[in-house]
Amino acid sequence: MPATTPRGYPYPVPDDPADVPQAMQDLASAVDTDVQAVYNGLSARPSVKAVGQSTAKYNNVVSGSLRGLPFEYFDFNVGGAAIAGNGFSQQQSAASGSFYRVIPKLPGFWMAFGAASFPKVAGGVAPINTSLVLLLNDSTIVSRSGINGNTLVADGTAQLVTSGGAFCNGTSDFFNLAWTPTHTVTIPSITVNNRNLTLIRMTQG
């Protein structure tokens, strides 16, 4: 009688009848059944990507202030509805700009990855004095990029990315994406094109 591996794959023992084709078929069928069961048990890790594509323009931004970056839709929202409802809400603030909140539905540790494109205005200079900031709950700075120089493409556009993680309670905690000047001079005008904020839940279960 064939023996089996810990995963249930059959193999002949010395006392079994010599039937190679049948033994190969039994092994192939067991492997196929096992692999299919493993595949059926896979599920998408809770994750979401909020996207903004319309041009957002900011005037007379003072050094040290934060301006929230708006989103318009989700590129994806998977893993048991990672984000509740429409997934983000807007908080209006005259002092800090409009912060869009991306609110994880499930408690646990979430990694966040933000990116934004700051184009060079026609006739102006490259936006080299900007920083992209990842926030938690409107105020806690998780990470920022761009302080020590930006990556500029050929047309002078600054492309910034930032990432970080935090524990979220699954109800009231949220992430924002914002930008701020990195020098002491007020920026008279700057625009932001494509931006996105991707969240991935790292906690299992």
Side-chain angles (χ1 to χ4, degrees):
M1 181 176 181
T4 58
T5 67
R7 291 195 67 86
Y9 300 162
Y11 62 91
V13 297
D15 293 339
D16 288 335
D19 190 346
V20 175
Q22 186 63 50
M24 295 295 292
Q25 180 179 341
D26 292 344
L27 176 61
S29 296
V31 171
D32 184 66
T33 299
D34 184 47
V35 170
Q36 187 63 52
V38 172
Y39 177 80
N40 292 341
L42 295 177
S43 60
R45 182 179 291 277
S47 58
V48 64
K49 181 180 182 181
V51 177
Q53 291 186 319
S54 63
T55 299
K57 187 173 183 179
Y58 303 82
N59 296 315
N60 299 319
V61 180
V62 180
S63 177
S65 63
L66 291 171
R67 290 293 183 269
L69 297 176
F71 305 111
E72 297 153 13
Y73 64 93
F74 285 124
D75 187 27
F76 57 82
N77 181 8
V78 298
I83 302 300
N86 69 359
F88 49 71
S89 61
Q90 184 179 14
Q91 178 194 29
Q92 297 289 350
S93 170
S96 337
S98 299
F99 285 106
Y100 276 67
R101 301 169 170 180
V102 182
I103 311 166
K105 177 182 178 181
L106 301 172
F109 187 84
W110 288 78
M111 283 298 298
F113 306 88
S117 177
F118 298 80
K120 177 182 177 181
V121 179
V125 298
I128 58 174
N129 295 305
T130 57
S131 176
L132 188 64
V133 183
L134 177 65
L135 294 169
L136 182 70
N137 299 335
D138 286 338
S139 58
T140 301
I141 296 178
V142 179
S143 65
R144 69 170 76 207
S145 67
I147 295 176
N148 296 318
N150 302 330
T151 301
L152 302 179
V153 297
D155 65 0
T157 296
Q159 296 179 320
L160 300 182
V161 296
T162 188
S163 63
F167 282 96
C168 297
N169 59 20
T171 54
S172 59
D173 289 331
F174 51 85
F175 288 95
N176 322 95
L177 194 64
W179 76 275
T180 184
T182 59
H183 60 71
T184 58
V185 179
T186 298
I187 293 182
S189 176
I190 197 167
T191 58
V192 185
N193 286 346
N194 297 332
R195 61 268 178 196
N196 59 75
L197 180 58
T198 302
L199 306 183
I200 302 175
R201 185 172 182 258
M202 306 306 294
T203 309
Q204 295 288 349

